[in-house]
Amino acid sequence: MVTKFHEFADATALAEGLADTVATALRTAIAERGKATIAVSGGSTPRQFFKALSTRAIDWPKVTVTLVDERFVPADNPRSNHLLVAENLLQGAAAEAGFLPLYRKANSAEEAARLAGGELAKLADPFDVVVLGMGNDGHTASFFPGGDHLAEALSAATPRGVITMEAEGAGEPRLTLTFSSLQDARLLVLHIEGQAKKETLEKALGDGGENDMPVRAIFRRAATPVDIFWAP
């Protein structure tokens, strides 16, 4: 269920184009409802996009930013997605946006997920914008092939909220929004870069199971068609 494949000459052009698209969606939400929500992914890919978005003229105090997933590490850990967003998106005027972290100081990832889920439940559904990434193994958010709670995370019957995920190669336990939390965003974006990711995308859009390539659940079952933004 792909809305459009947006191809850009390079990562810089993609970052600018995606920032324009997301800014328009946030402004529209603010005009219509007086506030806007956006959930973003971590990793190295969105850094340039975050910096571009932070420069856009948006009524930032009316925007709430959160994450689609997070490692169970404190915000000052170099592997923290919270730190990535704080250093690259929540700068300048964009620092006035609200930020809802997934990591919470807790005795376990499960307790942190419960606490974060309680805070997320206070936001209006659905998100105005969700920007996902994708790994070369076909994971998105922290929906990892072989993840211990993958079936629950991907099930449409699992309510909106935050769930834990552990998988080989994932490192720390993860906190991830459920499929139900992501799939009906008013703007649903997959942001990928590089030829290897494009090849993964082509495979994900083909036949095969969701457990093997969890991003397929987004393409096949999301209520909102996916806009794919790609650059070599």
Side-chain angles (χ1 to χ4, degrees):
M1 191 189 292
V2 177
T3 301
K4 188 179 290 186
F5 184 86
H6 308 265
E7 182 174 346
F8 295 84
D10 53 37
T12 298
L14 188 159
E16 295 294 329
L18 181 54
D20 287 341
T21 297
V22 169
T24 296
L26 295 176
R27 292 188 199 108
T28 298
I30 292 168
E32 292 178 350
R33 292 178 293 282
K35 57 186 177 180
T37 55
I38 176 172
V40 296
S41 60
S44 59
T45 300
R47 185 175 286 111
Q48 200 167 356
F49 156 61
F50 288 163
K51 290 180 178 179
L53 182 60
S54 73
T55 68
R56 295 311 190 259
I58 299 169
D59 194 350
W60 285 107
K62 296 179 180 179
V63 177
T64 299
V65 180
T66 191
L67 293 158
V68 300
D69 65 337
E70 178 63 284
R71 296 172 174 85
F72 185 53
V73 297
D76 60 356
N77 187 297
R79 289 170 57 78
S80 164
N81 288 337
H82 182 159
L83 183 63
L84 177 79
V85 169
E87 291 183 340
N88 295 279
L89 175 55
L90 302 178
Q91 297 291 318
E96 296 297 315
F99 181 69
L100 200 162
L102 298 187
Y103 172 81
R104 304 297 165 121
K105 189 174 181 180
N107 293 325
S108 66
E110 288 75 15
E111 182 182 355
R114 179 182 60 79
L115 293 171
E119 291 301 308
L120 280 168
K122 298 175 183 178
L123 299 180
D125 300 326
F127 286 112
D128 292 299
V129 180
V130 167
V131 183
L132 296 168
M134 182 184 69
N136 287 328
D137 60 355
H139 84 264
T140 191
S142 282
F143 304 154
F144 287 98
D148 60 344
H149 292 151
L150 180 61
E152 184 180 358
L154 292 182
S155 174
T158 301
R160 296 177 189 272
V162 183
I163 196 169
T164 61
M165 189 75 65
E166 294 190 53
E168 185 177 352
E172 303 89 349
R174 302 294 185 101
L175 309 168
T176 188
L177 271 62
T178 60
F179 172 81
S180 296
S181 303
L182 303 170
Q183 56 89 31
D184 59 352
R186 293 181 175 91
L187 173 65
L188 182 56
V189 172
L190 181 69
H191 173 188
I192 56 174
E193 297 176 11
Q195 187 58 37
K197 292 285 182 73
K198 189 175 183 182
E199 291 172 3
T200 300
L201 172 67
E202 291 168 352
K203 184 176 180 182
L205 291 171
D207 295 333
E210 293 178 4
N211 290 338
D212 297 329
M213 300 188 77
V215 72
R216 286 176 172 147
I218 301 296
F219 293 136
R220 294 174 180 176
R221 297 192 283 115
T224 304
V226 185
D227 273 284
I228 299 171
F229 282 67
W230 175 80

